[in-house]
Amino acid sequence: AVVSTQSAITAGNEYKSYLRTCSFINMTNKICAKCSQAIPNNWLIFEDRYYHAQCFNCSSCRRVIDVRETFNQNGAQIICGNCNVSVNLPKCLICRQPVQGQRLIYMNQSFHFSCKKCARCGVPFQEGQANDIKILQNGDFLHKTC
């Protein structure tokens, strides 16, 4: 048996990690919970349901999840560790991608430094320049030197 970390939703949607056994077994006459096709030989069991190994994938990015890696469960969805991290990160208002590390925040909106540009010179800001940025009343960001 292979052990994998998974999470369950508890009251208040708080994630609580615990260990759950996923195992590969060689038998016949099982139906995959994902594709509803017969499983002729090796399969994976998770939450008392059977899966082809290739059908046990992330509901977000569709990548096959190895049972030895960290993943989370949200209802019927299985989410890989990478997607779980990106789902919980703030999104840049300009590019809509998750913002990791330093970010610009204005009016509860997050921005990558590289996505936000100076309204005067058009040059993108860089991480570490937070003290060199001024914000005008209309919401425009400027380099202090512009």
Side-chain angles (χ1 to χ4, degrees):
V2 179
V3 177
S4 179
T5 303
Q6 65 109 42
S7 295
I9 302 272
T10 59
N13 288 335
E14 178 184 323
Y15 284 98
K16 188 179 220 178
S17 293
Y18 61 91
L19 293 178
R20 178 75 178 176
T21 302
C22 296
S23 54
F24 286 101
I25 300 173
N26 189 5
M27 295 174 73
T28 57
N29 298 329
K30 300 297 178 195
I31 303 296
C32 178
K34 184 80 169 207
C35 72
S36 301
Q37 300 296 312
I39 304 173
N41 45 34
N42 294 332
W43 64 79
L44 180 138
I45 299 172
F46 176 68
E47 294 286 307
D48 298 324
R49 291 181 286 192
Y50 299 91
Y51 295 87
H52 294 103
Q54 68 273 16
C55 289
F56 194 70
N57 55 17
C58 176
S59 297
S60 181
C61 70
R62 307 287 183 237
R63 183 180 61 79
V64 172
I65 298 174
D66 185 300
V67 295
R68 294 167 290 204
E69 72 179 278
T70 299
F71 59 90
N72 293 298
Q73 180 183 15
N74 185 358
Q77 295 184 331
I78 298 168
I79 315 246
C80 72
N82 291 337
C83 288
N84 189 54
V85 168
S86 66
V87 164
N88 293 318
L89 289 174
K91 305 288 187 279
C92 174
L93 186 65
I94 296 170
C95 72
R96 306 278 187 229
Q97 295 300 309
V99 181
Q100 290 183 305
Q102 292 185 5
R103 67 184 188 269
L104 292 169
I105 301 172
Y106 177 69
M107 303 285 292
N108 288 328
Q109 299 295 327
S110 296
F111 304 90
H112 291 107
F113 275 82
S114 59
C115 288
K116 196 70 175 162
K117 296 178 181 175
C118 176
R120 286 219 177 108
C121 69
V123 174
F125 297 102
Q126 295 178 14
E127 286 188 26
Q129 282 188 324
N131 293 330
D132 299 328
I133 299 171
K134 62 182 174 181
I135 302 172
L136 303 180
Q137 280 185 311
N138 66 0
D140 284 347
F141 285 54
L142 302 174
H143 290 106
K144 283 186 177 177
T145 57
C146 286

Coordinates of all heavy atoms in Angstrom, one line a residue, residues 30-92:
K30 N -13.8 -4.3 -11.6 CA -14.0 -3.1 -10.9 C -14.3 -2.0 -11.9 O -13.8 -2.0 -13.1 CB -12.8 -2.7 -10.1 CG -12.4 -3.7 -9.1 CD -13.5 -3.9 -8.0 CE -13.2 -4.9 -7.0 NZ -14.3 -5.3 -6.2
I31 N -15.1 -1.0 -11.6 CA -15.4 0.2 -12.4 C -14.8 1.4 -11.9 O -14.9 1.7 -10.7 CB -17.0 0.4 -12.5 CG1 -17.7 -0.9 -13.0 CG2 -17.4 1.6 -13.4 CD1 -17.3 -1.3 -14.4
C32 N -14.2 2.2 -12.8 CA -13.5 3.4 -12.4 C -14.5 4.5 -12.0 O -15.5 4.7 -12.8 CB -12.6 3.9 -13.6 SG -11.8 5.5 -13.3
A33 N -14.3 5.1 -10.9 CA -15.2 6.2 -10.4 C -15.1 7.4 -11.3 O -16.1 8.2 -11.3 CB -14.9 6.5 -9.0
K34 N -14.1 7.6 -12.0 CA -13.9 8.8 -12.9 C -14.5 8.6 -14.3 O -15.3 9.4 -14.7 CB -12.4 9.2 -12.9 CG -12.1 10.4 -13.7 CD -12.3 11.6 -12.8 CE -11.7 12.8 -13.5 NZ -11.4 13.8 -12.5
C35 N -14.1 7.5 -14.9 CA -14.5 7.3 -16.4 C -15.6 6.3 -16.5 O -16.1 6.1 -17.6 CB -13.3 7.0 -17.2 SG -12.7 5.3 -16.9
S36 N -16.0 5.6 -15.5 CA -17.0 4.6 -15.5 C -16.7 3.4 -16.4 O -17.6 2.7 -16.8 CB -18.4 5.2 -15.9 OG -18.7 6.2 -15.0
Q37 N -15.5 3.2 -16.7 CA -15.0 2.1 -17.5 C -14.5 0.9 -16.6 O -14.1 1.2 -15.5 CB -13.9 2.5 -18.5 CG -14.4 3.6 -19.5 CD -15.5 3.1 -20.4 OE1 -15.4 2.0 -21.0 NE2 -16.5 3.9 -20.6
A38 N -14.6 -0.3 -17.1 CA -14.0 -1.4 -16.4 C -12.5 -1.3 -16.2 O -11.8 -0.7 -17.1 CB -14.3 -2.7 -17.1
I39 N -12.1 -1.8 -15.1 CA -10.6 -1.7 -14.8 C -10.2 -3.2 -14.9 O -10.5 -4.0 -14.0 CB -10.4 -1.2 -13.4 CG1 -11.0 0.2 -13.3 CG2 -8.9 -1.1 -13.1 CD1 -10.9 0.8 -11.9
P40 N -9.4 -3.5 -15.9 CA -9.0 -4.9 -16.1 C -7.9 -5.4 -15.2 O -7.9 -6.6 -14.9 CB -8.5 -4.9 -17.6 CG -8.0 -3.5 -17.8 CD -8.9 -2.6 -17.0
N41 N -7.1 -4.6 -14.7 CA -6.0 -5.1 -13.8 C -5.7 -4.2 -12.7 O -6.4 -4.0 -11.7 CB -4.8 -5.6 -14.6 CG -4.4 -4.6 -15.6 OD1 -4.5 -3.4 -15.4 ND2 -3.9 -5.1 -16.7
N42 N -4.6 -3.4 -12.7 CA -4.2 -2.6 -11.6 C -5.0 -1.3 -11.5 O -5.4 -0.7 -12.5 CB -2.7 -2.2 -11.8 CG -1.8 -3.4 -11.7 OD1 -2.1 -4.3 -11.0 ND2 -0.7 -3.3 -12.3
W43 N -5.4 -1.0 -10.3 CA -6.1 0.2 -10.0 C -5.8 0.8 -8.7 O -5.0 0.2 -7.9 CB -7.6 0.0 -10.1 CG -8.2 -0.9 -9.1 CD1 -8.4 -0.6 -7.8 CD2 -8.5 -2.3 -9.3 NE1 -8.9 -1.7 -7.1 CE2 -9.0 -2.7 -8.0 CE3 -8.5 -3.1 -10.3 CZ2 -9.4 -4.0 -7.8 CZ3 -8.9 -4.4 -10.1 CH2 -9.4 -4.9 -8.9
L44 N -6.3 2.0 -8.5 CA -6.1 2.7 -7.2 C -7.4 2.8 -6.5 O -8.4 3.0 -7.1 CB -5.6 4.1 -7.6 CG -5.2 5.1 -6.6 CD1 -4.0 5.8 -7.0 CD2 -6.4 6.1 -6.4
I45 N -7.3 2.7 -5.2 CA -8.5 2.9 -4.4 C -8.3 4.1 -3.5 O -7.3 4.3 -2.8 CB -8.7 1.7 -3.4 CG1 -8.9 0.4 -4.2 CG2 -9.9 1.9 -2.5 CD1 -8.9 -0.8 -3.3
F46 N -9.3 5.0 -3.6 CA -9.3 6.2 -2.8 C -10.8 6.5 -2.3 O -11.7 6.5 -3.1 CB -8.8 7.4 -3.5 CG -8.8 8.7 -2.8 CD1 -8.0 8.9 -1.7 CD2 -9.7 9.7 -3.1 CE1 -8.1 10.1 -0.9 CE2 -9.8 10.9 -2.4 CZ -9.0 11.1 -1.3
E47 N -10.9 6.7 -1.0 CA -12.3 6.9 -0.4 C -13.2 5.8 -0.9 O -14.4 6.1 -1.2 CB -12.8 8.3 -0.9 CG -12.0 9.5 -0.3 CD -12.3 9.7 1.2 OE1 -13.5 9.8 1.5 OE2 -11.3 9.8 1.9
D48 N -12.8 4.6 -0.8 CA -13.6 3.4 -1.1 C -14.1 3.4 -2.6 O -15.1 2.8 -2.9 CB -14.7 3.2 -0.2 CG -14.2 3.0 1.3 OD1 -13.2 2.4 1.4 OD2 -14.9 3.6 2.2
R49 N -13.4 4.2 -3.5 CA -13.8 4.1 -4.9 C -12.6 3.7 -5.7 O -11.4 4.0 -5.3 CB -14.3 5.5 -5.3 CG -15.6 5.9 -4.7 CD -16.1 7.2 -5.2 NE -15.3 8.2 -4.5 CZ -15.6 9.5 -4.5 NH1 -16.6 9.9 -5.1 NH2 -14.8 10.3 -3.9
Y50 N -12.8 3.1 -6.8 CA -11.7 2.5 -7.6 C -11.4 3.5 -8.8 O -12.4 4.1 -9.4 CB -12.1 1.2 -8.2 CG -12.4 0.2 -7.1 CD1 -13.6 0.0 -6.6 CD2 -11.3 -0.6 -6.6 CE1 -13.8 -1.0 -5.6 CE2 -11.5 -1.6 -5.6 CZ -12.8 -1.7 -5.1 OH -13.0 -2.6 -4.1
Y51 N -10.2 3.6 -9.2 CA -9.7 4.5 -10.3 C -8.6 3.8 -11.1 O -7.8 3.1 -10.5 CB -9.1 5.8 -9.7 CG -10.0 6.7 -9.0 CD1 -10.2 6.5 -7.6 CD2 -10.7 7.7 -9.6 CE1 -11.1 7.3 -6.9 CE2 -11.5 8.6 -8.9 CZ -11.7 8.4 -7.5 OH -12.5 9.2 -6.8
H52 N -8.7 4.0 -12.4 CA -7.5 3.7 -13.2 C -6.4 4.7 -12.7 O -6.8 5.9 -12.3 CB -7.7 4.0 -14.7 CG -8.7 3.2 -15.4 ND1 -9.9 3.6 -15.7 CD2 -8.6 1.9 -15.8 CE1 -10.6 2.6 -16.3 NE2 -9.8 1.6 -16.4
A53 N -5.1 4.4 -12.7 CA -4.1 5.3 -12.2 C -4.1 6.6 -13.0 O -4.0 7.7 -12.5 CB -2.7 4.6 -12.3
Q54 N -4.4 6.5 -14.4 CA -4.4 7.7 -15.2 C -5.7 8.5 -15.0 O -5.8 9.7 -15.5 CB -4.3 7.3 -16.7 CG -5.4 6.6 -17.3 CD -5.3 5.0 -17.1 OE1 -4.6 4.5 -16.3 NE2 -6.1 4.3 -17.9
C55 N -6.7 8.0 -14.4 CA -7.9 8.7 -14.1 C -7.9 9.5 -12.8 O -8.8 10.3 -12.5 CB -9.1 7.8 -14.1 SG -9.6 7.2 -15.8
F56 N -6.9 9.2 -11.9 CA -6.8 9.9 -10.7 C -6.0 11.1 -10.9 O -4.8 11.2 -10.8 CB -6.1 9.0 -9.6 CG -6.2 9.4 -8.2 CD1 -7.4 9.4 -7.6 CD2 -5.1 9.9 -7.6 CE1 -7.5 9.8 -6.3 CE2 -5.2 10.4 -6.3 CZ -6.4 10.3 -5.6
N57 N -6.7 12.2 -11.3 CA -6.1 13.4 -11.7 C -6.7 14.6 -11.0 O -7.8 14.6 -10.5 CB -6.1 13.6 -13.2 CG -7.4 13.5 -13.9 OD1 -8.4 13.6 -13.2 ND2 -7.5 13.3 -15.1
C58 N -6.0 15.7 -11.1 CA -6.3 17.0 -10.5 C -7.6 17.6 -11.2 O -7.6 17.7 -12.5 CB -5.2 18.0 -10.6 SG -5.6 19.6 -9.9
S59 N -8.6 18.0 -10.5 CA -9.8 18.6 -11.1 C -9.5 19.9 -11.7 O -10.3 20.4 -12.5 CB -10.8 18.7 -10.0 OG -11.2 17.5 -9.5
S60 N -8.4 20.6 -11.3 CA -8.1 21.9 -11.8 C -7.2 21.8 -13.1 O -7.6 22.3 -14.1 CB -7.4 22.7 -10.7 OG -7.1 24.0 -11.2
C61 N -6.0 21.2 -12.9 CA -5.0 21.2 -14.1 C -5.1 19.9 -14.9 O -4.4 19.8 -15.9 CB -3.6 21.5 -13.6 SG -2.9 20.1 -12.6
R62 N -5.8 18.9 -14.4 CA -6.0 17.6 -15.1 C -4.7 16.7 -15.1 O -4.7 15.7 -15.7 CB -6.5 17.8 -16.5 CG -7.7 18.6 -16.7 CD -8.9 17.9 -16.2 NE -10.1 18.7 -16.5 CZ -10.9 19.1 -15.5 NH1 -10.7 18.7 -14.3 NH2 -12.0 19.8 -15.8
R63 N -3.7 17.2 -14.4 CA -2.5 16.3 -14.3 C -2.7 15.1 -13.4 O -3.4 15.2 -12.4 CB -1.3 17.2 -13.7 CG 0.0 16.5 -13.6 CD 1.1 17.4 -13.0 NE 0.7 17.8 -11.6 CZ 0.9 17.0 -10.5 NH1 1.4 15.8 -10.7 NH2 0.6 17.4 -9.3
V64 N -2.2 14.0 -13.9 CA -2.3 12.7 -13.1 C -1.6 12.9 -11.8 O -0.5 13.4 -11.7 CB -1.8 11.5 -13.9 CG1 -1.7 10.3 -13.0 CG2 -2.6 11.3 -15.1
I65 N -2.3 12.5 -10.7 CA -1.7 12.7 -9.4 C -1.1 11.3 -8.9 O -1.8 10.3 -8.9 CB -2.8 13.1 -8.3 CG1 -3.3 14.5 -8.7 CG2 -2.2 13.1 -6.9 CD1 -4.5 14.9 -7.9
D66 N 0.2 11.4 -8.6 CA 0.9 10.2 -8.1 C 0.4 10.1 -6.6 O 0.3 11.0 -5.9 CB 2.4 10.4 -8.1 CG 3.1 9.2 -7.7 OD1 3.0 8.7 -6.5 OD2 3.9 8.6 -8.5
V67 N 0.0 8.9 -6.2 CA -0.5 8.7 -4.9 C 0.5 9.0 -3.7 O 0.1 9.1 -2.6 CB -1.1 7.2 -4.7 CG1 -2.3 7.0 -5.5 CG2 0.0 6.2 -4.9
R68 N 1.8 9.1 -4.1 CA 2.8 9.5 -3.1 C 2.9 11.0 -2.9 O 3.6 11.4 -2.0 CB 4.1 8.9 -3.5 CG 4.1 7.4 -3.4 CD 5.3 6.8 -4.1 NE 5.2 7.1 -5.5 CZ 5.7 6.5 -6.5 NH1 6.6 5.5 -6.2 NH2 5.5 6.8 -7.8
E69 N 2.2 11.8 -3.7 CA 2.3 13.2 -3.5 C 1.2 13.8 -2.7 O 0.2 13.1 -2.5 CB 2.4 13.9 -4.9 CG 1.1 13.9 -5.7 CD 1.2 14.7 -7.0 OE1 1.2 15.9 -7.0 OE2 1.4 14.0 -8.0
T70 N 1.3 15.0 -2.3 CA 0.3 15.7 -1.5 C -0.8 16.1 -2.4 O -0.6 16.7 -3.5 CB 0.9 16.9 -0.7 OG1 1.9 16.4 0.1 CG2 -0.2 17.6 0.1
F71 N -2.0 15.9 -2.0 CA -3.2 16.4 -2.7 C -4.3 16.7 -1.7 O -4.2 16.3 -0.6 CB -3.7 15.3 -3.8 CG -4.1 14.0 -3.2 CD1 -5.4 13.7 -2.8 CD2 -3.1 13.0 -3.1 CE1 -5.7 12.5 -2.3 CE2 -3.5 11.8 -2.6 CZ -4.8 11.5 -2.2
N72 N -5.3 17.4 -2.2 CA -6.4 17.7 -1.3 C -7.7 17.3 -1.9 O -7.8 17.2 -3.2 CB -6.4 19.3 -1.0 CG -5.2 19.7 -0.2 OD1 -5.1 19.3 0.9 ND2 -4.4 20.5 -0.8
Q73 N -8.7 17.2 -1.1 CA -10.0 16.8 -1.6 C -11.0 17.9 -1.2 O -11.0 18.4 0.0 CB -10.5 15.5 -1.0 CG -11.8 15.0 -1.5 CD -12.2 13.7 -0.8 OE1 -11.7 13.3 0.2 NE2 -13.2 13.1 -1.4
N74 N -11.8 18.4 -2.1 CA -12.8 19.4 -1.9 C -14.1 18.8 -2.5 O -14.4 18.9 -3.6 CB -12.5 20.7 -2.5 CG -13.4 21.8 -2.2 OD1 -14.4 21.6 -1.5 ND2 -13.1 23.0 -2.7
G75 N -14.9 18.2 -1.6 CA -16.1 17.5 -2.1 C -15.7 16.3 -3.0 O -14.9 15.5 -2.7
A76 N -16.2 16.3 -4.3 CA -15.8 15.3 -5.2 C -14.5 15.6 -6.0 O -14.0 14.8 -6.8 CB -17.0 15.1 -6.2
Q77 N -14.0 16.8 -5.8 CA -12.8 17.3 -6.5 C -11.6 16.8 -5.8 O -11.5 16.9 -4.6 CB -12.8 18.8 -6.7 CG -13.9 19.3 -7.6 CD -13.8 20.8 -7.8 OE1 -13.3 21.5 -7.0 NE2 -14.3 21.2 -8.9
I78 N -10.6 16.4 -6.6 CA -9.3 16.1 -6.1 C -8.4 17.1 -6.6 O -8.3 17.4 -7.9 CB -8.8 14.7 -6.5 CG1 -9.8 13.6 -5.9 CG2 -7.4 14.4 -6.0 CD1 -9.7 12.2 -6.5
I79 N -7.6 17.8 -5.8 CA -6.8 18.9 -6.2 C -5.3 18.6 -5.9 O -5.0 18.3 -4.7 CB -7.2 20.2 -5.5 CG1 -8.7 20.4 -5.6 CG2 -6.4 21.4 -6.0 CD1 -9.4 21.4 -6.3
C80 N -4.4 18.8 -6.9 CA -3.0 18.5 -6.6 C -2.4 19.6 -5.7 O -3.0 20.7 -5.6 CB -2.2 18.4 -7.9 SG -2.0 19.9 -8.8
G81 N -1.3 19.4 -5.1 CA -0.7 20.4 -4.2 C -0.4 21.7 -4.9 O -0.6 22.7 -4.3
N82 N 0.1 21.6 -6.2 CA 0.4 22.9 -6.9 C -0.8 23.7 -7.1 O -0.8 24.9 -6.9 CB 1.0 22.6 -8.2 CG 2.4 22.0 -8.1 OD1 3.1 22.2 -7.1 ND2 2.9 21.3 -9.1
C83 N -1.9 23.1 -7.5 CA -3.1 23.9 -7.7 C -3.7 24.4 -6.4 O -4.3 25.5 -6.4 CB -4.2 23.0 -8.5 SG -3.7 22.8 -10.2
N84 N -3.6 23.6 -5.4 CA -4.1 24.0 -4.1 C -3.5 25.3 -3.6 O -4.1 26.2 -3.1 CB -4.0 22.9 -3.1 CG -4.7 23.2 -1.8 OD1 -5.9 23.5 -1.8 ND2 -4.0 23.2 -0.7
V85 N -2.1 25.4 -3.8 CA -1.4 26.6 -3.5 C -1.9 27.7 -4.3 O -2.2 28.8 -3.8 CB 0.1 26.3 -3.6 CG1 0.9 27.6 -3.5 CG2 0.6 25.4 -2.6
S86 N -2.0 27.5 -5.6 CA -2.3 28.7 -6.5 C -3.8 29.1 -6.3 O -4.1 30.3 -6.5 CB -2.1 28.3 -8.0 OG -2.9 27.3 -8.4
V87 N -4.7 28.2 -5.9 CA -6.1 28.5 -5.6 C -6.2 29.5 -4.4 O -7.0 30.4 -4.4 CB -6.9 27.3 -5.4 CG1 -8.2 27.6 -4.8 CG2 -7.1 26.5 -6.7
N88 N -5.3 29.3 -3.5 CA -5.4 30.1 -2.2 C -4.6 31.3 -2.2 O -4.6 32.1 -1.3 CB -5.0 29.2 -1.0 CG -6.0 28.1 -0.8 OD1 -7.2 28.3 -0.8 ND2 -5.5 26.9 -0.5
L89 N -3.8 31.6 -3.3 CA -3.0 32.8 -3.4 C -3.9 33.9 -4.0 O -4.8 33.7 -4.8 CB -1.8 32.6 -4.3 CG -0.7 31.7 -3.8 CD1 0.3 31.5 -4.9 CD2 -0.1 32.4 -2.6
P90 N -3.6 35.2 -3.6 CA -4.3 36.3 -4.3 C -3.9 36.4 -5.8 O -2.9 36.0 -6.2 CB -3.8 37.6 -3.5 CG -2.5 37.1 -2.9 CD -2.6 35.6 -2.7
K91 N -4.9 36.9 -6.6 CA -4.7 36.9 -8.0 C -4.4 38.4 -8.4 O -4.9 39.3 -7.8 CB -6.0 36.5 -8.8 CG -6.5 35.2 -8.4 CD -5.6 34.0 -8.9 CE -6.2 32.7 -8.7 NZ -6.1 32.1 -7.5
C92 N -3.5 38.6 -9.3 CA -3.1 39.9 -9.9 C -4.3 40.4 -10.6 O -4.9 39.7 -11.5 CB -1.9 39.7 -10.8 SG -1.4 41.3 -11.6

